[in-house]
Amino acid sequence: MANYGIVAVFVIWLQISESPMWNETWTDRLKQDLFVKYDKFSRPMQHYNTTVAWIDEKLKWDPAKYGNLHHIHVGNHEVWQPDIMLYHSGTASTIEHYGDTACIIYHDGRVLWVPPAQFVGLCELDLHLWPFDTQICTMTFGSWTYHGEQIDMRFSESQVTEDLHVKNAEWKMVDLTKTRKAVNYACCPDPYINLNFKMTLKRNAALYCSVLLMPAAAIVFLVLVTFWLPPQSEMKISIAACTILIITVFLAYFGLKVPLTANPPLIVYFYSGCLCLVTISLVLSILVINITKRTFCKPLPRNIRLCLLSWPGKLLGLSDQINVIESRRPIPGQELRGKLTEESTTNSTSNISDDGDRQNMISPTKNITQLEWILAGTAIDRIAFVLFCLILATMAIVCIS
């Protein structure tokens, strides 16, 4: 009985061992035959042959021997790959792949591999007219170690480059030219094949018009409006301080947005110039407020007074203030001259208030000296307004051109 038991167990084990452990397909058998001695680090051509298209001589088979199988999918890490690199790359790896995509191998040895990838290249930028600039960038592809007698790169006959171009919200491709060159390097006697893609890209400046140009117009308005406020108004200082803060925020934005280059964009120069002008206007506002809010015992210098009371003052739009001063000036020989002068001097102090807008109201009770100093402060504002208009207009023309 014991012997029969041993025989039964042996028969069962023999039957199990004869059945296949897994269902082998034609693809499995083909891959075993192709990759049993395959070296993925060796170029799959004879050393005297040139690889033009990606054809792997080691990966050819007869479909009739493998169930009429014409192509298979394999991992990209299983086959030899040409070391095509992007010259002047901006990263160490030169190519960043999005996932491990498989390769398709056909029975005649053709290998097809279309991995989603991102190329980061170095491009010499000219940001002089940013954000209305047009950039010309060149991408050069070539083998890193194989010369032209080993790997010969050529352009595809179909225009796949233009078809695969994805539209970008910030850039518009104006032109694309492709050239093939054989370059000799000092290290090696054989030429290397390079494929050059020259792209002309124009920045979409529609968004920047609203983000940068409209605030620039508002800043120019704030710079100039301070000179039309009453000369004794302290609101001039508040507006100038707020304008300085706004320009500082934009300059900080430029520092984050614009790459650091040797020549900053013209719009950065424009905002920097506006910052200098606002600072000067703040100093002028403090000066004007100081000379108009104090009751000066010392009269305005005679040459300046005569100039402001004549045609230069009228040319600056000070006719109303000149008429008030002339009407308040006492007539020589008049009996009431001393009385009017004393009365004018006494009432001048009582009419000065801390409200800047009301201080600019030329009251008949103010003395002539105080009125002349207010006239001088207003003239400083008008002259500064004209000069600032010319400077800002010049800066705008230079930036636009």
Side-chain angles (χ1 to χ4, degrees), residues 306-326:
L306 295 177
C307 181
L308 293 178
L309 294 177
S310 58
W311 65 268
K314 296 180 180 179
L315 187 62
L316 294 174
L318 306 176
S319 301
D320 294 339
Q321 299 184 28
I322 293 174
N323 294 334
V324 173
I325 293 175
E326 292 294 342

Side-chain angles (χ1 to χ4, degrees), residues 258-320:
V258 182
L260 296 178
T261 58
N263 297 320
L266 289 176
I267 193 169
V268 176
Y269 284 119
F270 179 82
Y271 275 84
S272 300
C274 289
L275 181 61
C276 296
L277 293 179
V278 174
T279 304
I280 296 174
S281 69
L282 178 61
V283 175
L284 290 177
S285 298
I286 295 175
L287 175 63
V288 170
I289 293 174
N290 186 44
I291 66 176
T292 56
K293 292 187 68 173
R294 294 173 56 186
T295 304
F296 287 89
C297 298
K298 184 178 179 180
L300 193 67
R302 182 174 181 275
N303 294 333
I304 299 178
R305 183 176 68 253
L306 295 177
C307 181
L308 293 178
L309 294 177
S310 58
W311 65 268
K314 296 180 180 179
L315 187 62
L316 294 174
L318 306 176
S319 301
D320 294 339

